[in-house]
Structures are given as structure tokens and as C-alpha cells.
Amino acid sequence: MKRGGYNDYYFSEQGDEYGEYEDYDQEPYPSRYSNDYRPEPAQKKGASPDFSFFGSVGFGPNRKLGFMLSGGGFLVTFLGIMLFFNSTLLRLGNLLFVSGLPLIIGPDRTIAYFTRRERWRATITFLVGMFLVLIAGWPVTGLSVEAFGFLNLFGNLFPLLRSLLGRLPVAGDLLGGRNKRRQDYDTRGYEDYYE
């Protein structure tokens, strides 16, 4: 049945004697063929992006800021390492990372994560490394101690990160994740799946 035509009995743009529209023809949103349709305005030139891809995953503004701070902390720390362990950049990178982490997972969960009984040694090692970088001014020693603590704290997340990156198109090819799965399917026979 054709809808919306000029002489359509069930749906009329002008309305009819039974009311504006019948219940079964009521549209919750205007379609792009109706007179009420207005396309969303295009973003102005030079305007900052709204990071809408974060919103689709469920990221709030605090979490966005936390990812930006932590990512900036990693970049500034990497730059400090590349510039022969520049202590000012390493200090700034540590502060950015530590300030971004509670915004990502929340302050309560951050405290609960770092104060678990099985992670006390890793937390203390990480904090001693931060102390050596921030206050004592020993960037090489502090960064190595901090890296050891970081690996002990977050080392169990690396296999998950690798498997997630292995499913991406370009990163999966570089890590060998996608090609390995293809080879497994090609080399195994039908009987191997049911053993």
C-alpha cells in the first residue's frame, strides 16, 4: 500500500475528519520525506570534534577526560624518554597518568584496585618509582622501578589487550592474530575439530 499520497485514504498530509492522523499511521519521528524533516546541521569549519564515538560506548565526560589525561601522560612520558630522560617531562607524564586513572575507572574502584592484598608489593613499587621520578629527581632509576611496578599491577591486562588488538584489521595482521586464525582453519582437517 502506498503511503502519504495526495488521495491516500489511510494517511493524508492534510488530515481527515477522524483526526490529524490515525494511530497506526502516527510516526514518532519525522521521516525525511515529510515537511517536518530538518537534517542535522553540519559541523562548522574549524570547530572541535565532539568525540561522539565515545558516547556510543557509554563514556561520560569524566571518562573522556581520564582517557585524554592518561593518553597524554603516556605520550609525555615517551617524549621524556626520547629526550634522554628529561626529568620535567617524566614528572609531567606521571602526574597526567595518575590524575587520569581515577577518572577512567572511578575513585572508589581505583582505591580498591591498588589496595588489594595481592597487589601491595606492586603498588608500593609503583609509588616508590613515582617518588624517585617526582621528588628525588632520579629519572632513570625511578622510571625502571615504576615500569616494574606498572607491569606487576597491570600485567594481567596485556593478554586481553593483545587479543583485542589482534582482531583489528591492520593491528591483527601486524600481531599475527588474524593470519594465525586463518592458518589454523586451513591446516586442520574436518576430523581435528571433533577429537
Side-chain angles (χ1 to χ4, degrees):
M1 174 191 313
K2 182 179 172 188
R3 290 182 49 192
Y6 182 73
N7 291 327
D8 192 357
Y9 177 78
Y10 296 104
F11 182 83
S12 172
E13 295 282 335
Q14 293 83 19
D16 54 13
E17 69 259 22
Y18 301 112
E20 181 74 18
Y21 297 107
E22 301 259 341
D23 288 339
Y24 54 85
D25 286 325
Q26 199 87 30
E27 295 186 15
Y29 304 106
S31 69
R32 60 182 183 165
Y33 301 110
S34 70
N35 294 335
D36 297 334
Y37 176 73
R38 290 183 186 87
E40 295 183 17
Q43 189 174 357
K44 294 181 181 177
K45 243 184 180 180
S48 64
D50 60 350
F51 297 105
S52 61
F53 58 90
F54 279 132
S56 65
V57 182
F59 288 81
N62 287 342
R63 198 170 272 184
K64 289 180 200 176
L65 181 63
F67 274 113
M68 288 180 204
L69 287 174
S70 296
F74 277 121
L75 288 176
V76 170
T77 301
F78 180 72
L79 184 64
I81 292 171
M82 296 304 291
L83 293 174
F84 303 110
F85 292 95
N86 187 341
S87 60
T88 306
L89 289 175
L90 292 176
R91 287 175 183 156
L92 182 63
N94 277 336
L95 290 175
L96 286 173
F97 174 73
V98 169
S99 63
L101 191 62
L103 292 174
I104 293 173
I105 61 176
D108 296 334
R109 293 175 78 184
T110 303
I111 291 171
Y113 186 81
F114 281 98
T115 57
R116 281 191 188 159
R117 187 174 188 88
E118 60 269 6
R119 292 194 178 107
W120 281 356
R121 281 187 282 168
T123 302
I124 290 171
T125 307
F126 185 74
L127 292 176
V128 166
M130 282 190 59
F131 173 78
L132 291 174
V133 170
L134 292 174
I135 296 170
W138 296 346
V140 177
T141 308
L143 199 61
S144 59
V145 171
E146 187 178 346
F148 181 73
F150 181 82
L151 288 175
N152 283 329
L153 277 172
F154 302 107
N156 57 352
L157 299 177
F158 289 131
L160 174 68
L161 182 65
R162 187 178 188 282
S163 69
L164 289 175
L165 288 176
R167 294 180 182 173
L168 295 176
V170 176
D173 293 336
L174 292 175
L175 293 173
R178 296 177 64 190
N179 292 332
K180 184 179 177 186
R181 283 197 309 263
R182 287 186 199 135
Q183 289 172 357
D184 286 345
Y185 288 126
D186 292 342
T187 57
R188 283 194 259 171
Y190 178 78
E191 304 86 24
D192 293 337
Y193 289 110
Y194 296 102
E195 288 181 355

